[in-house]
PDB file of all heavy atoms in Angstrom:
ATOM      1  N   GLY A  37       8.625  -6.402  13.260  1.00 76.00           N
ATOM      2  CA  GLY A  37       9.763  -6.162  14.086  1.00 76.00           C
ATOM      3  C   GLY A  37      10.528  -4.937  13.794  1.00 76.00           C
ATOM      4  O   GLY A  37      11.463  -4.567  14.461  1.00 76.00           O
ATOM      5  N   GLU A  38      10.103  -4.203  12.750  1.00 82.00           N
ATOM      6  CA  GLU A  38      10.768  -2.904  12.427  1.00 82.00           C
ATOM      7  C   GLU A  38       9.853  -1.736  12.739  1.00 82.00           C
ATOM      8  O   GLU A  38       8.650  -1.852  12.562  1.00 82.00           O
ATOM      9  CB  GLU A  38      11.170  -2.898  10.944  1.00 82.00           C
ATOM     10  CG  GLU A  38      12.231  -3.878  10.598  1.00 82.00           C
ATOM     11  CD  GLU A  38      12.666  -3.781   9.123  1.00 82.00           C
ATOM     12  OE1 GLU A  38      12.403  -2.724   8.488  1.00 82.00           O
ATOM     13  OE2 GLU A  38      13.234  -4.731   8.641  1.00 82.00           O
ATOM     14  N   LYS A  39      10.444  -0.634  13.130  1.00 86.00           N
ATOM     15  CA  LYS A  39       9.678   0.559  13.441  1.00 86.00           C
ATOM     16  C   LYS A  39       9.410   1.380  12.159  1.00 86.00           C
ATOM     17  O   LYS A  39      10.240   1.373  11.270  1.00 86.00           O
ATOM     18  CB  LYS A  39      10.416   1.415  14.447  1.00 86.00           C
ATOM     19  CG  LYS A  39      10.466   0.792  15.817  1.00 86.00           C
ATOM     20  CD  LYS A  39      11.001   1.730  16.857  1.00 86.00           C
ATOM     21  CE  LYS A  39      10.923   1.124  18.212  1.00 86.00           C
ATOM     22  NZ  LYS A  39      11.351   2.074  19.252  1.00 86.00           N
ATOM     23  N   ILE A  40       8.273   2.047  12.154  1.00 85.00           N
ATOM     24  CA  ILE A  40       7.969   2.936  11.052  1.00 85.00           C
ATOM     25  C   ILE A  40       7.490   4.270  11.624  1.00 85.00           C
ATOM     26  O   ILE A  40       6.928   4.323  12.712  1.00 85.00           O
ATOM     27  CB  ILE A  40       6.880   2.305  10.129  1.00 85.00           C
ATOM     28  CG1 ILE A  40       6.692   3.107   8.855  1.00 85.00           C
ATOM     29  CG2 ILE A  40       5.550   2.152  10.868  1.00 85.00           C
ATOM     30  CD1 ILE A  40       5.928   2.357   7.768  1.00 85.00           C
ATOM     31  N   GLN A  41       7.748   5.311  10.877  1.00 88.00           N
ATOM     32  CA  GLN A  41       7.481   6.653  11.364  1.00 88.00           C
ATOM     33  C   GLN A  41       6.011   7.071  11.029  1.00 88.00           C
ATOM     34  O   GLN A  41       5.513   6.891   9.947  1.00 88.00           O
ATOM     35  CB  GLN A  41       8.432   7.666  10.681  1.00 88.00           C
ATOM     36  CG  GLN A  41       8.393   9.015  11.335  1.00 88.00           C
ATOM     37  CD  GLN A  41       9.504   9.884  10.838  1.00 88.00           C
ATOM     38  OE1 GLN A  41      10.168   9.563   9.841  1.00 88.00           O
ATOM     39  NE2 GLN A  41       9.759  10.963  11.493  1.00 88.00           N
ATOM     40  N   CYS A  42       5.369   7.620  12.059  1.00 87.00           N
ATOM     41  CA  CYS A  42       3.989   8.139  11.883  1.00 87.00           C
ATOM     42  C   CYS A  42       4.029   9.441  11.117  1.00 87.00           C
ATOM     43  O   CYS A  42       4.879  10.306  11.417  1.00 87.00           O
ATOM     44  CB  CYS A  42       3.338   8.383  13.287  1.00 87.00           C
ATOM     45  SG  CYS A  42       1.730   9.121  13.158  1.00 87.00           S
ATOM     46  N   GLN A  43       3.204   9.580  10.096  1.00 86.00           N
ATOM     47  CA  GLN A  43       3.209  10.777   9.264  1.00 86.00           C
ATOM     48  C   GLN A  43       2.627  11.973   9.943  1.00 86.00           C
ATOM     49  O   GLN A  43       2.813  13.089   9.498  1.00 86.00           O
ATOM     50  CB  GLN A  43       2.463  10.463   7.970  1.00 86.00           C
ATOM     51  CG  GLN A  43       1.020  10.097   8.212  1.00 86.00           C
ATOM     52  CD  GLN A  43       0.330   9.608   6.924  1.00 86.00           C
ATOM     53  OE1 GLN A  43       0.950   9.686   5.858  1.00 86.00           O
ATOM     54  NE2 GLN A  43      -0.846   9.138   7.070  1.00 86.00           N
ATOM     55  N   HIS A  44       1.904  11.770  11.081  1.00 87.00           N
ATOM     56  CA  HIS A  44       1.260  12.922  11.758  1.00 87.00           C
ATOM     57  C   HIS A  44       2.128  13.458  12.919  1.00 87.00           C
ATOM     58  O   HIS A  44       2.355  14.654  13.012  1.00 87.00           O
ATOM     59  CB  HIS A  44      -0.079  12.523  12.295  1.00 87.00           C
ATOM     60  CG  HIS A  44      -0.967  11.976  11.234  1.00 87.00           C
ATOM     61  ND1 HIS A  44      -1.486  12.724  10.227  1.00 87.00           N
ATOM     62  CD2 HIS A  44      -1.455  10.724  10.966  1.00 87.00           C
ATOM     63  CE1 HIS A  44      -2.227  12.008   9.374  1.00 87.00           C
ATOM     64  NE2 HIS A  44      -2.169  10.773   9.869  1.00 87.00           N
ATOM     65  N   CYS A  45       2.650  12.576  13.803  1.00 91.00           N
ATOM     66  CA  CYS A  45       3.378  13.086  14.939  1.00 91.00           C
ATOM     67  C   CYS A  45       4.888  12.778  14.852  1.00 91.00           C
ATOM     68  O   CYS A  45       5.647  13.143  15.776  1.00 91.00           O
ATOM     69  CB  CYS A  45       2.791  12.460  16.213  1.00 91.00           C
ATOM     70  SG  CYS A  45       3.027  10.674  16.367  1.00 91.00           S
ATOM     71  N   GLN A  46       5.363  12.132  13.758  1.00 90.00           N
ATOM     72  CA  GLN A  46       6.751  11.877  13.495  1.00 90.00           C
ATOM     73  C   GLN A  46       7.416  10.943  14.501  1.00 90.00           C
ATOM     74  O   GLN A  46       8.632  10.884  14.574  1.00 90.00           O
ATOM     75  CB  GLN A  46       7.582  13.221  13.438  1.00 90.00           C
ATOM     76  CG  GLN A  46       7.006  14.243  12.427  1.00 90.00           C
ATOM     77  CD  GLN A  46       6.861  13.696  11.011  1.00 90.00           C
ATOM     78  OE1 GLN A  46       7.758  12.988  10.553  1.00 90.00           O
ATOM     79  NE2 GLN A  46       5.784  14.037  10.368  1.00 90.00           N
TER      80      GLN A  46
END
Side-chain angles (χ1 to χ4, degrees):
E38 292 185 20
K39 291 188 175 185
I40 190 165
Q41 191 170 14
C42 175
Q43 58 189 354
H44 304 292
C45 65
Q46 306 303 319

